[in-house]
């Protein structure tokens, strides 16, 4: 058996890294178990001529397609939106686009403001200092003064607008609609050991330049210097409990497939909205027959993705193509509730640049815009480097029938039951997607696009895995309390996107990490009576 | 380092499957004198296609089997008109399988040096050279700033 530790963190992604770094100054003995490995920047696809092909291969965003040793299978056959993730040090930040908006003040008060779902037990002002600290740790590029947010500081200069941002920005001005330079996790100048962005344009397959703020480059080096131990290729099967009903540690398999038990005084789950409920549901005992921390029955329920709509147009003049971070500007014109739209809550537009040569061909032939045979080359050249558009990231409301459960037969390489996703697109989301497509077409027409296509919901866009161990003050209606501690198991914490009460209509990484820093601070403030 | 779990079944194609895929590649992306590019059935490009099928091997074989069915026998041995007809039927009736063939061909064709140059691109990976992107003019945001805040106060 391993030597007992004070804190055991499971998962080395966005939230696990932040909580590890924050707790390191307590001088407690901290170990993090991560099922994947470190990824070297020399391994990222943009180092090679096959850079586009590998995003469909070993750097696919789908674990079911990727099937690397670090991955576990996910049965998402019963969902129109498929799970995407990455397993390794840095987790999802390795493959994310680096789009880094915060939730808004209204996102934490949806019951009060709009009469739907539930208010969060924390609010924007409570998290504001942790948002700001996280922005500095991650090195966020932004432009101060965005009218869609309360005032916040810019850490680094904004991304270049490029021809795409300029073209679409002018269209938004013609329509009189909000747009702004996006908050982005790209170092626009050298920052804390990260080299500045050189517009490789392939951020979602890992940044070979190291300009993108993945936590293997931001939090982890600092945490490790403070003696946090990070054990890679260690896959947790379950969390153990002792006779008092407290978490006693975790059972895991090491890189050689050998089973171990790591005892710990505090266990922190940071495995995302699918991985965390999977471990809790696999942690069955006489005392917790329905899974750990699950007296509410809500572990794995209320799964929220963000349904995405994609609207893309083609222009007469060349734009940025595949060059530059994919998302440079955003709009939150339709973010806050407006009853006249036929749905509650709202969405963000992320304005996106163009496509690489391979993806241009694949999408062009799939939509019939590029023929097979005669005419292929002429049609291709009409599209290549001439597209731009947007994705709308829609707020997904919590619904208990959207779940992560354990698949009865599917298992990972270690024989651990795999997660099964059951998800239905809600009517509110459907109406929101329709609205987003219609307004997106208006924007592209105003920008001069000559040909427009849309798709909603995007099937392979389950980036954001939220809500499956929600926070709240009522133990009957939530899994963890307002500072991330399990209602049932007083030394068990959750810090990943599972704790989200509602999803907002923005990418969640900024808020996930702010929450992780907040929970870590709550732990530090309560060390003398943490388990009361 | 990332370990790759071996795919189910060998990635290699039988000779008839290889000939069929080559014909599909030629039908899909023919050579063009006007653009000074080879077709996707070019020796070097097609060798890259076969070498790079990887995770799509099973799906490619399924697509080629379907093409044989549509052609009423070995697709590779049919005349050009019959091949063209079967390929069109595949695209009309089984878009997912057709998309696999498009993917395996396009992934290799659109990284060939000759093709890259024809498109005005340098034949190189994105890193370490990177690319230039116009900075743009942030004063475009002045009207947005002037309209004032749109975020909603929360109690």
């Amino acid at each position: 058996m391993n030597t007992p530790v004070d804190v055991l963190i499971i998962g080395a992604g966005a939230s696990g890294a932040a909580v590890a770094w924050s707790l390191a100054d307590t001088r407690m003995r901290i170990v993090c178990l991560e099922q994947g490995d470190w990824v070297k920047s020399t391994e990222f696809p943009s180092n090679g001529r096959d850079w586009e092909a590998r995003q469909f291969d070993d750097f696919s965003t789908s674990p079911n397609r990727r099937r690397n040793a670090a991955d576990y299978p996910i049965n998402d056959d019963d969902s129109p939106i498929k799970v995407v993730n990455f397993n390794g040090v840095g987790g999802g930040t390795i493959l994310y686009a680096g789009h880094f908006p915060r939730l808004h003040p209204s996102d934490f008060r949806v019951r009060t403001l709009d009469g739907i779902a539930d208010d969060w037990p924390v609010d924007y002002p409570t998290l504001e200092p942790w948002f700001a600290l996280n922005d500095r740790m991650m090195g966020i590029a932004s432009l101060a003064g965005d009218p869609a947010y309360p005032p916040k500081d810019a850490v680094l200069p904004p991304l270049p607008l490029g021809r795409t941002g300029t073209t679409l920005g002018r269209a938004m001005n013609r329509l009189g609609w909000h747009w702004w330079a996006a908050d982005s996790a790209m170092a626009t100048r050298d920052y804390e050991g990260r080299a500045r962005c050189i517009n490789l344009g392939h951020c979602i397959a890992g940044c070979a330049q190291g300009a993108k703020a993945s936590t293997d480059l931001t939090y982890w080096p600092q945490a490790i210097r403070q003696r946090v131990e990070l054990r890679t290729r260690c896959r947790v099967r379950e969390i153990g409990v002792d006779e008092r009903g407290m978490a006693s540690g975790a059972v895991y398999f090491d890189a050689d497939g050998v089973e171990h038990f790591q005892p710990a005084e505090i266990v922190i789950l940071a495995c995302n909205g699918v991985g965390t409920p999977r471990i809790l549901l696999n942690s069955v005992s006489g005392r917790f027959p329905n899974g750990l921390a699950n007296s509410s029955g809500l572990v794995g329920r209320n799964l929220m993705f963000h349904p995405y709509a994609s609207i893309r147009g083609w222009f007469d003049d060349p734009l940025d193509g595949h060059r530059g971070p994919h998302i440079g500007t955003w709009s939150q014109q339709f973010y806050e509730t407006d009853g006249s739209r036929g749905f509650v809550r709202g969405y963000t537009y992320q304005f996106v640049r163009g496509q690489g040569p391979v993806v241009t061909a694949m999408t062009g032939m799939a939509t019939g815009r590029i023929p097979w045979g005669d005419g292929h080359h002429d049609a291709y050249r009409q599209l290549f480097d001439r597209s731009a558009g947007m994705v709308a990231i829609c707020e997904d409301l919590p619904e208990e029938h959207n779940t992560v459960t354990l698949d009865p037969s599917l298992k990972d390489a270690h024989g651990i039951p795999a997660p099964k996703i059951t998800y239905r697109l809600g009517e509110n989301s459907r109406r929101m997607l329709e609205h987003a497509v219609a307004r997106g077409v208006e924007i592209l027409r105003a920008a001069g696009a000559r040909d427009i296509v849309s798709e909603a919901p995007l099937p392979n866009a389950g980036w954001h895995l939220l809500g499956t161990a929600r926070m709240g003050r009522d133990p009957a209606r939530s899994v963890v309390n307002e500072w991330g501690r399990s209602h049932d198991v007083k030394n068990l914490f959750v810090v990943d996107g599972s704790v989200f009460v509602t999803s907002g209509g923005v990418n969640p990484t900024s808020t996930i990490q702010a929450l992780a820093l907040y929970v870590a601070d709550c732990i530090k403030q309560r060390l003398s009576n943490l388990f009361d | 380092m990332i370990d790759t779990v071996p795919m189910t079944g060998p990635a290699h194609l039988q000779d008839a499957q290889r000939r069929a895929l080559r014909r599909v590649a030629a039908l899909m992306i023919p050579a063009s004198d006007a653009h000074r590019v080879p077709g996707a059935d070019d020796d070097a490009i097609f060798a890259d296609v076969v070498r790079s099928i990887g995770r799509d091997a099973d799906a490619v074989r399924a697509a080629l089997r379907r093409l044989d069915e549509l052609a009423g026998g070995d697709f590779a041995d049919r005349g050009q008109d019959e091949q063209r007809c079967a390929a069109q039927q595949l695209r009309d009736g089984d878009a997912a399988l057709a998309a696999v063939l498009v993917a395996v061909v396009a992934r290799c064709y659109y990284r060939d040096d000759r093709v890259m140059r024809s498109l005005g691109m340098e034949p190189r990976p994105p890193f370490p050279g990177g690319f230039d992107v116009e900075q743009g003019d942030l004063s475009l945001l002045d009207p947005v700033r002037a309209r004032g805040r749109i975020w909603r106060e929360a109690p």
Side-chain angles (χ1 to χ4, degrees):
Chain A
M1 191 169 75
N2 289 297
T3 305
V5 297
D6 297 309
V7 181
L8 173 62
I9 300 167
I10 304 171
S15 60
V19 80
W21 171 81
S22 178
L23 290 177
D25 62 20
T26 64
R27 316 304 294 172
M28 291 192 288
R29 181 158 184 217
I30 302 170
V31 164
C32 177
L33 300 176
E34 165 55 49
Q35 64 192 327
D37 211 338
W38 293 91
V39 187
K40 298 184 187 119
S41 62
T42 51
E43 294 174 341
F44 287 133
S46 53
N47 287 282
R49 293 293 301 280
D50 54 355
W51 57 279
E52 277 193 284
R54 288 181 66 198
Q55 72 180 302
F56 305 103
D57 204 51
D58 56 336
F59 278 86
S60 166
T61 54
S62 165
N64 293 334
R65 166 81 180 178
R66 204 168 51 227
R67 288 182 286 166
N68 291 332
D71 295 317
Y72 56 89
I74 298 174
N75 179 354
D76 51 16
D77 292 345
D78 196 19
S79 171
I81 299 174
K82 310 302 181 186
V83 173
V84 297
N85 68 13
F86 188 76
N87 297 303
V89 179
T93 64
I94 297 291
L95 297 191
Y96 74 158
H99 200 58
F100 219 74
R102 304 175 180 183
L103 285 186
H104 301 67
S106 71
D107 290 317
F108 298 93
R109 290 290 177 270
V110 297
R111 166 61 66 179
T112 300
L113 291 171
D114 295 320
I116 45 104
D118 289 298
D119 289 347
W120 291 52
V122 293
D123 57 15
Y124 187 92
T126 302
L127 291 182
E128 200 285 332
W130 310 109
F131 278 126
L133 172 60
N134 191 54
D135 281 358
R136 293 192 295 275
M137 289 298 296
M138 296 290 278
I140 300 306
S142 66
L143 179 67
D146 186 347
Y149 277 100
K152 53 189 171 68
D153 294 333
V155 179
L156 294 172
L159 295 173
L161 292 179
R163 295 177 185 174
T164 306
T166 299
T167 300
L168 296 177
R170 285 184 177 135
M172 295 301 276
N173 283 349
R174 278 194 281 278
L175 292 164
W177 289 348
H178 168 267
W179 66 286
W180 203 255
D183 293 2
S184 172
M186 308 299 165
T188 45
R189 59 173 165 75
D190 294 353
Y191 185 79
E192 299 290 332
R194 283 156 55 205
R196 69 175 177 84
C197 176
I198 53 173
N199 301 308
L200 301 180
H202 208 42
C203 315
I204 61 166
C207 179
Q209 169 81 343
K212 187 175 76 172
S214 48
T215 59
D216 58 325
L217 303 180
T218 58
Y219 281 107
W220 274 118
Q222 295 197 42
I224 289 168
R225 276 200 294 276
Q226 295 184 76
R227 300 186 181 177
V228 174
E229 181 188 352
L230 174 51
R231 281 182 215 154
T232 58
R233 302 177 74 183
C234 293
R235 173 170 283 142
V236 170
R237 185 182 73 201
E238 64 180 282
I239 296 168
V241 290
D242 63 18
E243 65 283 355
R244 300 170 298 153
M246 302 283 272
S248 56
V251 179
Y252 70 95
F253 295 97
D254 69 15
D256 298 319
V258 178
E259 184 178 311
H260 299 270
F261 181 71
Q262 175 59 61
E265 295 295 323
I266 298 170
V267 175
I268 301 176
L269 279 162
C271 308
N272 77 44
V274 170
T276 285
R278 179 196 185 202
I279 289 176
L280 290 173
L281 294 171
N282 271 318
S283 301
V284 172
S285 61
R287 188 165 187 146
F288 299 102
N290 299 316
L292 197 59
N294 196 21
S295 65
S296 65
L298 292 175
V299 169
R301 293 191 176 274
N302 295 301
L303 171 67
M304 295 173 283
F305 296 117
H306 282 121
Y308 273 86
S310 169
I311 312 100
R312 178 171 291 277
W314 283 271
F315 295 77
D316 289 332
D317 296 323
L319 297 171
D320 299 316
H322 57 90
R323 306 162 192 84
H326 203 49
I327 300 160
T329 54
W330 66 30
S331 170
Q332 300 196 325
Q333 178 67 30
F334 306 105
Y335 195 86
E336 304 288 0
T337 296
D338 177 341
S340 69
R341 296 180 192 140
F343 55 85
V344 290
R345 308 302 302 157
Y347 58 89
T348 299
Y349 280 129
Q350 306 170 351
F351 294 115
V352 296
R353 303 186 209 267
Q355 301 168 321
V358 170
V359 175
T360 298
M362 288 170 60
T363 56
M365 284 192 270
T367 60
R369 283 170 174 74
I370 301 177
W372 287 30
D374 294 339
H376 176 96
H377 299 286
D378 287 339
Y380 182 95
R381 282 156 179 76
Q382 288 296 310
L383 303 186
F384 181 58
D385 270 356
R386 285 170 162 78
S387 84
M390 66 210 71
V391 292
I393 167 173
C394 296
E395 173 154 356
D396 201 2
L397 297 176
E399 298 179 282
E400 283 194 22
H401 58 258
N402 290 331
T403 59
V404 177
T405 54
L406 297 178
D407 191 275
S409 55
L410 187 65
K411 292 181 170 54
D412 68 20
H414 294 97
I416 305 170
K420 178 179 190 300
I421 309 298
T422 304
Y423 178 89
R424 298 288 176 272
L425 192 66
E427 185 55 32
N428 194 66
S429 295
R430 203 177 296 280
R431 288 199 291 265
M432 203 182 303
L433 288 166
E434 287 171 4
H435 186 275
V437 169
R439 298 294 85 71
V441 169
E442 279 185 60
I443 294 166
L444 289 175
R445 284 188 180 138
R450 57 178 151 78
D451 189 12
I452 298 169
V453 294
S454 65
E455 184 178 15
L458 281 183
N460 298 308
W463 292 97
H464 308 146
L465 313 170
L466 307 169
T468 51
R470 63 197 333 232
M471 57 167 33
R473 293 193 175 88
D474 181 355
R477 292 190 46 76
S478 55
V479 176
V480 298
N481 70 7
E482 64 271 31
W483 40 282
R485 191 183 73 176
S486 159
H487 290 299
D488 301 345
V489 183
K490 296 194 183 306
N491 64 340
L492 175 66
F493 293 79
V494 181
V495 294
D496 57 63
S498 306
V499 305
F500 274 42
V501 180
T502 55
S503 69
V506 293
N507 312 53
T509 304
S510 170
T511 307
I512 288 171
Q513 291 186 304
L515 279 164
L517 294 173
Y518 167 71
V519 169
D521 187 67
C522 290
I523 291 172
K524 289 190 282 191
Q525 300 297 329
R526 291 171 168 84
L527 275 181
S528 61
N529 60 351
L530 189 62
F531 306 144
D532 290 349
Chain B
M1 156 172 189
I2 292 175
D3 298 327
T4 300
V5 178
M7 299 297 104
T8 53
H12 298 296
L13 300 178
Q14 305 279 346
D15 182 58
Q17 292 170 324
R18 194 170 313 200
R19 286 190 295 116
L21 182 59
R22 192 163 191 163
R23 283 300 307 143
V24 169
L27 289 172
M28 190 185 301
I29 310 179
S32 166
D33 291 336
H35 294 289
R36 302 172 66 184
V37 288
D41 60 337
D42 167 84
D43 285 348
I45 293 171
F46 188 69
D48 191 16
V49 169
V50 172
R51 196 168 49 236
S52 306
I53 285 175
R55 283 164 168 75
D56 287 315
D58 288 342
V60 166
R61 280 191 283 264
L64 296 176
R65 273 196 303 275
R66 183 71 185 129
L67 274 177
D68 284 346
E69 291 168 8
L70 292 168
D74 280 349
F75 174 85
D77 296 333
R78 291 292 189 250
Q80 189 162 330
D81 288 345
E82 289 172 284
Q83 288 175 338
R84 207 182 304 275
C85 179
Q88 187 61 50
Q89 285 180 276
L90 180 76
R91 294 167 66 199
D92 292 341
D94 206 330
L97 285 180
V100 172
L101 298 179
V102 166
V104 299
V105 171
R107 289 195 306 243
C108 297
Y109 184 81
Y110 283 102
R111 67 187 184 205
D112 180 83
D113 286 4
R114 295 160 290 178
V115 178
M116 295 293 93
R117 288 196 182 96
S118 169
L119 293 172
M121 294 179 68
E122 296 175 73
R124 64 168 175 89
F127 184 81
F131 302 103
D132 292 326
V133 174
E134 293 174 7
Q135 195 61 39
D137 178 6
L138 290 174
S139 71
L140 273 176
L141 287 161
D142 288 348
V144 184
R145 197 179 277 109
R147 283 195 296 274
R149 63 170 264 195
I150 61 170
W151 63 276
R152 190 178 180 194
E153 198 81 54

